[in-house]
Amino acid sequence: MTLPLLAARRCWHAAINPLHATIYFSPDLGKELATLGIKDPVAVNLASRSAAMGAVGPGTVTATFYNYRHDLITRHLPAVWDTATPEQVLAARLRAADSTLRRLLGPEAIGSPEIAEAADLAMLATRGCTRHARTLYAAHADLPVPDAPHLRLWHATTLLREHRGDGHLAALLLAGLDPVEALISHTATGRGMSAKWIKAIRGWEQSDLDAATERLRERGILDADGELTDEGKAVRERLEAETDRLDAAPYEHLGEEGLTRLAELGGAFVTKAIGAGAFPRDLFGRA
């Protein structure tokens, strides 16, 4: 990359991914999908995340999500599509994004020129994205772009999030980390989901986590206390560096000045959203 080292990664983590991810922990999403008859929280999550791909079955979702337990997915897909269509779910998700951002950011921010500027910058970055081997990105890229600036920003962060995520899966395969090992090693960095949420959202049992932890110890990635070893830190950094390489194009297209401004604007919105309770307090960490 010609951009400053780690600049794109920092922007993605601080200003792009969290803004998109507010939807997954918003009560508004559950309320909207409940009006369609989808009330189970796991079904809500799976349907809202996969709807852009159409009424796909569990195999497709397991492959594209990477770190969900397959039998968790089979309990809800494809059955959920007998309750509501993907088009209905996508419309409900957009309504939930609207109400969520309005609640977290407030009317002043929603109507501000800054949110329109951030939306323009994020959409400009998406012009550098590519579709090949990027299943979730490509599916979302086929969706119409909303008119409202705050929803246009959320849509753009969705595209950028899935573009990086699709590349990250390729990097995980190259790193030799299976779904649970990927989650456990990420948690060990201090930035991944806690075991409580891995089990609640991804469907893994404690025995799965324990077995993956033991495999990582045998490979020298974790120590006896479950902390990353020097080799483990190196594995995680190589993983992120490869993800950066695969995800460089959108931010190269945006340019250094635009990237700096997007990080500034988006970071301020994310800070405001977190202050308004966008995420559970125990979402991240070792507990």
Side-chain angles (χ1 to χ4, degrees):
M1 293 180 66
T2 60
L3 297 172
L5 185 65
L6 305 184
R9 187 193 304 182
R10 293 191 184 108
C11 181
W12 189 87
H13 282 293
I16 293 171
N17 186 49
L19 195 62
H20 162 81
T22 55
I23 193 70
Y24 299 126
F25 302 93
S26 171
D28 303 340
L29 182 62
K31 291 176 183 176
E32 286 288 351
L33 265 67
T35 65
L36 302 178
I38 303 173
K39 299 179 181 180
D40 184 285
V42 175
V44 168
N45 178 266
L46 293 174
S48 64
R49 285 200 67 196
S50 66
M53 296 187 290
V56 295
T60 300
V61 174
T62 300
T64 53
F65 286 11
Y66 195 86
N67 56 25
Y68 281 64
R69 186 168 176 164
H70 182 62
D71 60 1
L72 174 76
I73 294 173
T74 60
R75 288 203 291 271
H76 300 282
L77 294 175
V80 74
W81 305 126
D82 294 330
T83 301
T85 67
E87 291 76 17
Q88 289 174 316
V89 169
L90 288 169
R93 187 178 75 155
L94 192 61
R95 292 194 299 270
D98 180 31
S99 57
T100 298
L101 292 178
R102 289 181 183 279
R103 174 169 47 81
L104 295 176
L105 300 182
E108 184 175 345
I110 291 295
S112 69
E114 287 80 10
I115 208 159
E117 182 184 359
D120 289 343
L121 288 168
M123 285 303 303
L124 178 59
T126 68
R127 295 181 189 173
C129 294
T130 55
R131 292 175 184 265
H132 49 277
R134 311 239 185 206
T135 307
L136 277 177
Y137 163 74
H140 285 88
D142 283 345
L143 301 179
V145 179
D147 292 327
H150 66 293
L151 292 180
R152 194 156 45 93
L153 174 59
W154 183 78
H155 176 74
T157 61
T158 301
L159 298 181
L160 293 171
R161 190 236 197 203
E162 301 300 4
H163 190 269
R164 184 176 179 89
D166 287 337
H168 187 63
L169 301 192
L172 284 170
L173 289 173
L174 288 173
L177 293 172
D178 70 24
V180 193
E181 292 166 357
L183 290 167
I184 293 294
S185 61
H186 190 208
T187 297
T189 68
R191 298 187 297 272
M193 285 192 299
S194 66
K196 169 188 171 180
W197 287 95
I198 289 174
K199 289 184 280 190
I201 297 176
R202 301 296 192 254
W204 300 104
E205 304 289 345
Q206 186 60 49
S207 58
D208 298 314
L209 307 189
D210 293 342
T213 298
E214 185 57 33
R215 292 195 299 274
L216 292 170
R217 288 191 181 117
E218 291 173 355
R219 293 172 57 185
I221 293 175
L222 295 182
D223 63 20
D225 297 321
E227 302 289 341
L228 286 173
T229 62
D230 289 343
E231 172 59 18
K233 293 175 184 176
V235 167
R236 289 297 315 188
E237 179 50 38
R238 288 195 296 269
L239 172 63
E240 292 300 326
E242 182 65 6
T243 303
D244 290 342
R245 186 184 70 81
L246 294 170
D247 191 41
Y251 307 101
E252 293 282 4
H253 185 81
L254 183 58
E256 182 177 353
E257 183 177 345
L259 178 61
T260 300
R261 183 59 172 160
L262 178 58
E264 176 187 359
L265 293 169
F269 292 133
V270 168
T271 298
K272 189 174 184 65
I274 290 173
F279 303 104
R281 293 183 180 274
D282 60 352
L283 178 60
F284 304 107
R286 300 289 301 279

